[in-house]
Amino acid sequence: MDVDLRKLRYFVAVAEELHFGRAAERLHIAQPVLSRQIRALEEELRVQLLTRDRRSTALTPAGTQVHRDAVSLLAAAEGLLRRARRAAGGTDRLTVGFMPGITVTTAVQALTARHPGLTVDVLRTSWEDQTQAVRDGRVDVSFVRMPADRSDLSLRPLFSEPRVAVLPRGHRLAGKQSVDIADLAGERLLQDPDAVPEWRDLPHRVPDEDPRPVPAVRTVEEKLEYVAALQGVVVLPRSTALYYTRPDLCQITVADIEPGQVCLAWSDRHPGALTLEFADLAAGIYADGP
């Protein structure tokens, strides 16, 4: 059975909007057409992907799995198309990924100065997809924050920077020049603990007794909104925290944890000459830090 990528694209829109009307507007098609395409996809896969009533639309367990796989599959298809056109002698194009707080302008300008006909696109990534975007072809090369999944990738270290705790202005630690990670032992961490292993592995950390589940946050902006609402704290690279400076929050250096490291990542299967040239340029530009 061949999977229709167009139907998958339609399904992803519904899965992300959880509303057929909004998804149809996003796709610029009529809602009845969208509904028929989703039913056809369910028939082809022989599973129910969505439950729907007059008030809401929700993913089934099968729908959740198909959505996760479909996002990667569609991105891989886009990457294949870009690489095929480039190999056929199409317009030179490079896509650069970057994490919040990292400015890529200088490196991009250095590359385009060497190649006046080159088009460089940029794509913001997140902790969840910063390396997957390289593997599935959405980007050719990406600025990633460690720790990151290194499989199938080439990595070049660029620079490191301190990490800071971001706290509400009225927090008990606000006003200090620096803190130790143990000072945050009793705090509710509003991010994946694996991103702050020093906090996760504190031997005497008091388990979070807050009955509320940790909010499912994805973006830096969402995390900071929850911090400002006194829901918890986050630990961020200093450049990210500075980029998102706001008056109701404060940033305090965490003195006794390793600096955050930024690397450049690209696929070790098909890097391309432009990717390798960009890596060399970025290594020189960022040798002294961001």
Side-chain angles (χ1 to χ4, degrees):
M1 178 188 72
D2 295 326
V3 179
D4 187 335
L5 293 182
R6 182 184 62 176
K7 292 189 182 75
L8 281 182
R9 191 171 291 109
Y10 289 173
F11 169 69
V12 166
V14 176
E16 292 177 350
E17 298 290 346
L18 291 179
H19 190 282
F20 274 77
R22 290 195 297 269
E25 291 178 4
R26 169 174 158 181
L27 295 165
H28 305 290
I29 62 174
Q31 186 172 333
V33 173
L34 177 59
S35 297
R36 287 196 298 271
Q37 292 296 311
I38 298 302
R39 285 197 298 271
L41 178 62
E42 289 179 320
E43 291 172 3
E44 291 174 7
L45 297 178
R46 299 180 183 177
V47 296
Q48 183 179 2
L49 300 174
L50 298 157
T51 59
R52 183 183 182 189
D53 57 31
R54 291 183 179 180
R55 293 182 297 177
S56 64
T57 299
L59 292 169
T60 65
T64 299
Q65 182 62 56
V66 171
H67 175 240
R68 184 180 300 119
D69 291 339
V71 169
S72 297
L73 183 59
L74 292 171
E78 291 179 9
L80 181 150
L81 184 60
R82 287 194 302 105
R83 291 190 294 272
R85 287 174 174 171
R86 185 182 302 153
T91 303
D92 281 342
R93 201 175 200 105
L94 188 77
T95 302
V96 178
F98 65 97
M99 286 285 283
I102 300 175
T103 302
V104 302
T105 307
T106 304
V108 169
Q109 289 177 337
L111 186 67
T112 54
R114 291 186 177 186
H115 303 275
L118 176 67
T119 298
V120 178
D121 300 311
V122 294
L123 176 70
R124 175 183 161 176
T125 61
S126 68
W127 278 109
E128 289 76 16
D129 70 353
Q130 61 171 345
T131 54
Q132 185 57 37
V134 181
R135 292 190 191 89
D136 61 31
R138 277 176 285 167
V139 301
D140 299 290
V141 60
S142 193
F143 291 78
V144 302
R145 294 192 184 277
M146 305 304 289
D149 182 359
R150 299 168 176 260
S151 57
D152 301 322
L153 298 179
S154 295
L155 292 180
R156 176 172 292 182
L158 294 179
F159 61 87
S160 60
E161 58 180 323
R163 287 185 287 167
V164 300
V166 182
L167 313 169
R169 280 288 177 188
H171 193 276
R172 61 184 175 83
L173 298 174
K176 289 183 173 292
Q177 293 297 314
S178 66
V179 296
D180 291 337
I181 192 65
D183 294 326
L184 304 176
E187 301 294 335
R188 191 174 186 230
L189 192 69
L190 298 172
Q191 63 198 116
D192 183 350
D194 289 342
V196 194
E198 299 91 347
W199 179 90
R200 179 199 62 201
D201 298 334
L202 282 171
H204 304 299
R205 184 167 61 82
V206 179
D208 189 357
E209 297 179 356
D210 192 320
R212 298 167 298 175
V214 174
V217 291
R218 181 175 181 272
T219 67
V220 176
E221 295 92 337
E222 290 170 348
K223 292 172 184 174
L224 297 184
E225 285 296 329
Y226 281 111
V227 173
L230 309 181
Q231 298 289 307
V233 304
V234 294
V235 176
L236 298 176
R238 182 172 60 186
S239 62
T240 303
L242 289 174
Y243 186 82
Y244 291 99
T245 297
R246 43 189 290 176
D248 52 352
L249 302 177
C250 64
Q251 307 157 11
I252 304 174
T253 300
V254 184
D256 62 342
I257 63 176
E258 290 295 319
Q261 186 176 46
V262 172
C263 295
L264 207 62
W266 62 91
S267 172
D268 60 12
R269 291 180 296 173
H270 38 68
L274 280 173
T275 295
L276 297 177
E277 184 178 357
F278 182 83
D280 288 339
L281 284 170
I285 290 169
Y286 291 94
D288 297 324

